[in-house]
């Protein structure tokens, strides 16, 4: 009887006089070079994940099967092909799927259970990372089943959700943040230059705060009509937070009217030649985290304060102002339930009916 294949795996082929050492994918008798040397194990593992995905995509469409007959690699490969390209950050999704493949790629779906999920979480760097990746696995399994390819429901056990970030900024803290970013000058050889290298942080903070928009949507937005990203209608004062034709996700990004003072800023930015809401050397800023973190450190705000804290702040300020829940939820792009659960206690009318009931029915007077 022929020996059972060990499945696709990496092998570091030793160097010879005529060729350098390189990682090879071995799958039974088949071999394929990753073109990654000994110092690029991570690249080799990504190549292995891509190979497994390619190998099993075709196999995934063979009809409804029992979980014991379905390799997890089939499921992840199908998800990578059908769903992941439509994500807002497909490259990051690909990295998470590669991590899942390294652990689950040689297993059958019937082997996925609570113990195996906890084993996976234990070997990841953080529980937050493990939870996000297992959420991807759950989405992949559900997609596979909805496609009519699995006969049973398989559940994923997730690590506990991290504690929700409750940090929001006061008006004085926001003013200090924006002012520090606007006035900051680059240092060279120990002396300040005339280069103001964080004004994009100030602009980002203004837009993120007064629209409650997620950082990625703010950083990608254009000041002119665009089919590739969200954009600002300068004439009508409307922020289209996603490009036309882009499918809406659960992180909703509806168009919103802009506050007049913010719109006035944007009109000045565009008149001065700016093309994007947040830009550096004429190009949009992909991420704000590093410059934002440096500004927070300069101001001395107690953390954690991240770009996403401005969205928390916008929601909190809307509630503190007594804004109607339906209006606020629509403006922020979140459900009324989420807004009420996370931020409702800031509203001046929060549980006011219960409070007033006890005010009307006092049992006694205390001297």
């Amino acid at each position: 009887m022929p020996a059972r294949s060990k499945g696709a795996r990496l092998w570091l082929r030793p160097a010879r006089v005529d060729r350098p050492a390189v990682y090879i994918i071995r799958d039974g008798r088949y071999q394929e070079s990753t073109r990654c040397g000994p110092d690029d194990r991570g690249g080799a593992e990504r190549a292995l994940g891509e190979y497994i995905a390619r190998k099993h995509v075709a196999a995934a469409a063979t009809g409804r099967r029992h979980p014991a007959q379905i390799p997890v690699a089939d499921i992840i490969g199908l998800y990578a092909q059908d769903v992941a390209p439509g994500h807002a950050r497909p490259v990051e999704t690909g990295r998470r799927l590669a991590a899942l493949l390294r652990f689950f790629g040689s297993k059958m779906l019937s082997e996925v259970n609570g113990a195996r999920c906890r084993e996976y979480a234990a070997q990841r760097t953080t529980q937050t990372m493990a939870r996000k990746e297992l959420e991807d696995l759950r989405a992949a399994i559900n997609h596979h089943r909805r496609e009519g390819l699995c006969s049973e429901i398989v559940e994923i056990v997730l690590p506990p959700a991290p504690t929700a970030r409750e940090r929001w900024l006061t008006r004085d803290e926001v003013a200090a943040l924006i002012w520090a970013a606007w006035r900051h000058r680059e240092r060279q050889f120990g002396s300040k230059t005339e280069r103001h290298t964080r004004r994009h942080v100030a602009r980002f903070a203004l837009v993120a705060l007064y629209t409650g928009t997620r950082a990625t949507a703010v950083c990608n937005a254009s000041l002119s009509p665009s089919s590739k990203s969200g954009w600002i209608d300068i004439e009508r004062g409307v922020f289209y937070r996603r490009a036309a034709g882009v499918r809406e996700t659960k992180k909703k990004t509806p168009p919103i009217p802009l506050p007049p003072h913010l719109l006035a800023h944007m009109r000045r930015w565009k008149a001065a030649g700016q093309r994007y809401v947040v830009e550096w050397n004429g190009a949009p800023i992909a991420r704000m985290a590093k410059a934002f973190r440096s500004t927070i450190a300069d101001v001395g705000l107690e953390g954690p304060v991240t770009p996403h804290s401005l969205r928390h702040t916008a929601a909190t300020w809307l509630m503190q102002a007594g804004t109607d829940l339906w209006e606020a939820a629509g403006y922020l792009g979140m459900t009324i339930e989420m807004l009420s659960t996370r931020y409702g206690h800031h509203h001046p009318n929060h549980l006011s009916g219960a409070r007033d009931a006890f005010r009307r029915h006092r049992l006694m007077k205390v001297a």
Side-chain angles (χ1 to χ4, degrees):
M1 178 181 292
R4 183 180 177 182
S5 172
K6 297 179 180 178
R9 64 197 186 282
L10 290 175
W11 168 59
L12 182 59
R13 187 178 66 188
R16 293 194 324 197
V17 175
D18 58 337
R19 70 186 185 196
V22 67
Y23 278 106
I24 300 292
I25 297 172
R26 301 180 70 172
D27 190 1
R29 295 184 179 181
Y30 177 78
Q31 294 187 5
E32 178 180 309
S33 174
T34 66
R35 299 182 181 179
C36 298
D39 296 334
D40 191 12
R41 174 76 186 192
E45 289 180 346
R46 286 192 294 273
L48 175 62
E50 292 168 0
Y51 167 79
I52 293 173
R54 291 197 311 271
K55 175 183 174 182
H56 291 287
V57 161
T62 58
R64 188 181 296 272
R65 293 176 289 172
H66 187 274
Q69 300 173 308
I70 304 173
V72 177
D74 284 13
I75 296 168
I76 295 175
L78 186 68
Y79 188 77
Q81 173 184 272
D82 292 355
V83 180
H87 285 188
R89 296 178 180 174
V91 174
E92 292 185 10
T93 302
R95 293 194 186 110
R96 296 194 299 270
L97 295 180
L100 290 166
L101 276 170
R102 288 194 290 273
F103 185 87
F104 290 104
S106 61
K107 297 174 175 59
M108 307 303 286
L109 182 56
S110 59
E111 298 178 71
V112 178
N113 53 33
R116 194 56 55 85
C117 291
R118 287 186 288 272
E119 181 184 348
Y120 178 82
Q123 53 88 47
R124 298 304 288 150
T125 306
T126 67
Q127 292 298 287
T128 300
M129 177 188 297
R131 182 181 175 88
K132 182 62 176 175
E133 291 162 355
L134 287 171
E135 286 175 341
D136 285 328
L137 179 59
R138 180 177 63 185
I141 291 172
N142 290 340
H143 173 69
H144 183 269
R145 181 172 53 82
R146 284 193 297 267
E147 290 292 303
L149 302 175
C150 182
S151 61
E152 299 187 19
I153 296 175
V154 175
E155 297 287 351
I156 293 295
V157 176
L158 300 175
T163 303
R165 296 174 182 173
E166 296 294 341
R167 179 70 160 104
W168 54 276
L169 304 181
T170 66
R171 297 182 188 280
D172 287 344
E173 288 175 326
V174 168
L177 167 63
I178 293 174
W179 189 239
W182 190 257
R183 295 186 64 189
H184 176 82
R185 290 187 293 168
E186 183 181 54
R187 281 184 174 272
Q188 292 184 4
F189 306 108
S191 300
K192 289 184 178 180
T193 69
E194 292 304 313
R195 295 190 65 208
H196 293 84
T197 53
R198 291 189 194 161
R199 288 192 168 176
H200 63 291
V201 177
R203 293 187 175 104
F204 165 79
L206 276 174
V207 178
L209 177 66
Y210 286 110
T211 67
T213 303
R214 294 177 179 86
T216 301
V218 173
C219 291
N220 289 337
S222 169
L223 290 173
S224 300
S226 173
S227 60
K228 298 181 179 179
S229 67
W231 62 283
I232 310 296
D233 186 334
I234 291 293
E235 298 302 321
R236 296 176 56 239
V238 178
F239 185 1
Y240 295 94
R241 294 190 279 198
R242 60 186 170 92
V246 173
R247 181 175 58 86
E248 184 69 286
T249 68
K250 64 182 180 181
K251 294 184 177 180
K252 299 189 181 301
T253 50
I256 58 169
L258 292 171
H261 58 283
L262 179 59
L263 180 59
H265 282 303
M266 290 182 170
R267 286 172 174 165
R268 285 194 294 271
W269 300 344
K270 186 174 182 180
Q274 193 167 319
R275 298 170 56 201
Y276 300 94
V277 171
V278 184
E279 68 177 28
W280 181 261
N281 292 333
I285 295 288
R287 291 201 173 182
M288 184 57 55
K290 185 176 180 180
F292 189 90
R293 185 167 55 246
S294 297
T295 306
I296 291 298
D298 290 348
V299 176
L301 298 183
E302 295 184 2
V305 178
T306 68
H308 198 68
S309 299
L310 296 175
R311 178 168 164 83
H312 287 294
T313 300
T316 300
W317 286 10
L318 285 173
M319 290 296 93
Q320 290 175 339
T323 309
D324 175 78
L325 287 176
W326 188 88
E327 288 272 349
Y331 193 82
L332 295 165
M334 66 174 65
T335 65
I336 292 178
E337 180 183 7
M338 172 65 75
L339 180 66
S340 178
T341 301
R342 293 284 297 277
Y343 306 100
H345 61 283
H346 292 290
H347 199 285
N349 294 333
H350 180 64
L351 301 181
S352 58
R355 177 198 62 201
D356 293 343
F358 280 106
R359 181 179 296 168
R360 292 191 300 270
H361 298 283
R362 290 179 294 179
L363 297 178
M364 64 183 71
K365 292 183 178 180
V366 179

